[in-house]
Amino acid sequence: MHNIPTIHYSDKAKFYKELLSEAQGLCEKEWFVNLANFAALLKQHLPDINWVGFYLLHNDELLLSSFQGLPACTRIAIGKGVCGTAAKTLQTQLVADVDQFPGHIVCDSASRSEIVIPLIHNGRLLGVLDIDAPILNRFDSEDQKGLEQFADILIKGTQWPATFA
């Protein structure tokens, strides 16, 4: 059993260094274990968020996987909403105000801002890491950098089944 320490967010560089270290310590080979623990780790430590989870690519759409928060949309088409856009462009989507994002899909009406990081392994899309916040402009470039590194630990530290990789 892991004893999750308190990580303080006031110094973002230190916060992400500690978070990344904790993620490396939790990393297992099994993908489903990592998705569950990584979602829980972010929900535990990342302040001012209301939802965090993973959508995995399956039959040309994103399907809901491990998450922390209210029940969510189960299927997202590639190119639709923030998650689908990240999947289509293979680029992180940093959205200060979800109401200003064309085609935003509302799963939780409390969400005001969002960041979605594509999960890419060996040049192929596995899915996305999606994080929502109940406040506007919650995420910045430091969060983007730290969360992209977090996703990289997940991708590189996991043995993905052939259906993903």
Side-chain angles (χ1 to χ4, degrees):
M1 188 95 173
H2 293 277
N3 187 9
I4 299 176
T6 301
I7 303 174
H8 299 286
Y9 189 72
S10 55
D11 176 351
K12 284 190 184 183
K14 184 178 179 189
F15 169 83
Y16 281 109
K17 181 178 179 183
E18 292 174 7
L19 181 71
L20 298 176
S21 176
E22 186 70 21
Q24 287 174 326
L26 282 176
C27 209
E28 297 279 339
K29 291 181 180 181
E30 294 81 13
W31 64 273
F32 51 90
V33 172
N34 285 342
L35 294 179
N37 266 339
F38 277 51
L41 185 64
L42 286 174
K43 182 68 171 147
Q44 173 74 27
H45 291 302
L46 201 58
D48 301 319
I49 65 169
N50 59 318
W51 197 92
V52 57
F54 297 93
Y55 284 92
L56 299 179
L57 184 63
H58 181 72
N59 292 336
D60 295 323
E61 66 181 344
L62 297 171
L63 292 183
L64 180 65
S65 186
S66 296
F67 70 95
Q68 298 274 315
L70 293 177
C73 305
T74 57
R75 297 171 185 274
I76 299 174
I78 302 299
K80 300 294 181 184
V82 182
C83 289
T85 300
K88 183 176 182 178
T89 64
L90 303 179
Q91 295 181 346
T92 296
Q93 300 296 303
L94 183 62
V95 181
D97 181 352
V98 295
D99 291 334
Q100 301 304 311
F101 191 91
H104 173 252
I105 300 168
V106 179
C107 292
D108 180 350
S109 62
S111 295
R112 310 300 308 140
S113 59
E114 185 170 5
I115 186 168
V116 179
I117 295 102
L119 305 174
I120 303 165
H121 179 64
N122 292 335
R124 293 188 54 202
L125 179 70
L126 299 171
V128 298
L129 166 59
D130 180 20
I131 307 171
D132 294 357
I135 56 176
L136 293 171
N137 208 22
R138 161 61 186 84
F139 306 102
D140 62 20
S141 60
E142 275 189 89
D143 293 302
Q144 179 175 339
K145 179 182 174 189
L147 292 167
E148 286 173 345
Q149 291 173 330
F150 182 86
D152 197 48
I153 290 170
L154 170 69
I155 293 163
K156 290 179 179 172
T158 301
Q159 285 186 330
W160 298 97
T163 55
F164 293 122

